Amino acid sequence: MCVCVYTVQSQCDSEMSRIRARSSRREPKENLQEILENIVKQDGISCVCKLCHLNNFVKLLCSVGIAEDKLGFTYEEIIICLRLTLLNEAREVRVAGLQSFRYLIRDSNVLGKVLLLQVDYLIARFIDIQQNDSERTQALRLARKVRSAYSLLTQSNY
C-alpha cells in the first residue's frame, strides 16, 4: 500500500527536481514517453513517483498543448495508459489520473476517444463513491469538462 503523499512531500519534491532536470533538455515526445512508461509500470515504481509523473503530464499539456504531432503519441495510446491510473490502489494516484484526464479533454476529438475506450464508466464509478471526497470532487470536475466538450461535439454535428 502507498503511504500518504502529504507525509512524503520532500521525497516528491526531490523526485520532481530530478525529473525536471531530465525533462528540460528533451523534446516533449521524449518526456511524454518517459511519463507514460512510468505510469503503466506495475512494479519497481512508487506511488509518489507515479504521482510526480502525472503532475508532469499536466504541466506538459499546459505548456505544449494536446496536438498529437507535438506529443508524439496518439490520443488512444495516451488514454489507454492514463486509464490504468484510475485503477491504481493509491487514492492519490487515482485523483491525479482524474485530473490528468480533465486536462487532456480539451476538445470533442479527445472526448470521442475517451468515450470510445469506455473511460466514462470508470469516471462514473468515482462519482458513486461516498467515502472519498477528493476522488469524487475530481470526478465531478471531469464530468463538467466532459459535458462542455460533449456540447461542442453535438454542435459540430449540426
Side-chain angles (χ1 to χ4, degrees):
M1 189 74 179
C2 185
V3 293
C4 182
V5 172
Y6 305 112
T7 61
V8 289
Q9 187 63 40
S10 62
Q11 182 183 356
C12 186
D13 290 342
S14 65
E15 184 67 31
M16 288 287 280
S17 62
R18 273 187 295 197
I19 293 170
R20 201 175 301 118
R22 287 192 311 259
S23 301
S24 63
R25 298 182 298 267
R26 298 188 307 188
E27 293 291 317
K29 296 174 185 181
E30 296 172 42
N31 290 332
L32 184 58
Q33 181 175 353
E34 180 183 350
I35 290 168
L36 295 178
E37 284 175 357
N38 283 297
I39 62 173
V40 299
K41 281 184 185 176
Q42 296 295 325
D43 298 321
I45 186 166
S46 69
C47 69
V48 173
C49 190
K50 282 189 180 195
L51 186 62
C52 292
H53 282 290
L54 287 166
N55 289 335
N56 280 339
F57 175 74
V58 170
K59 289 177 184 176
L60 180 70
L61 290 180
C62 290
S63 66
V64 175
I66 62 166
E68 285 181 331
D69 59 332
K70 290 181 182 177
L71 295 175
F73 289 87
T74 65
Y75 296 134
E76 290 91 352
E77 293 168 332
I78 296 169
I79 293 166
I80 287 169
C81 293
L82 275 182
R83 79 177 167 186
L84 291 175
T85 64
L86 302 181
L87 302 171
N88 195 287
E89 66 181 25
R91 176 180 53 89
E92 294 85 3
V93 174
R94 293 190 305 265
V95 169
L98 288 166
Q99 181 183 21
S100 297
F101 271 108
R102 186 164 47 98
Y103 279 87
L104 180 64
I105 299 173
R106 291 192 183 170
D107 63 18
S108 57
N109 188 20
V110 179
L111 175 62
K113 307 291 185 193
V114 167
L115 295 175
L116 182 69
L117 294 169
Q118 299 181 337
V119 178
D120 51 328
Y121 291 110
L122 293 172
I123 297 166
R125 190 182 106 203
F126 291 106
I127 295 173
D128 254 355
I129 294 175
Q130 298 298 320
Q131 72 265 16
N132 197 332
D133 282 342
S134 59
E135 286 176 309
R136 192 167 198 278
T137 301
Q138 284 296 329
L140 288 171
R141 287 180 178 174
L142 179 54
R144 283 196 301 266
K145 183 77 165 197
V146 166
R147 186 186 67 208
S148 66
Y150 185 74
S151 67
L152 294 174
L153 179 67
T154 55
Q155 287 175 359
S156 66
N157 288 339
Y158 295 108

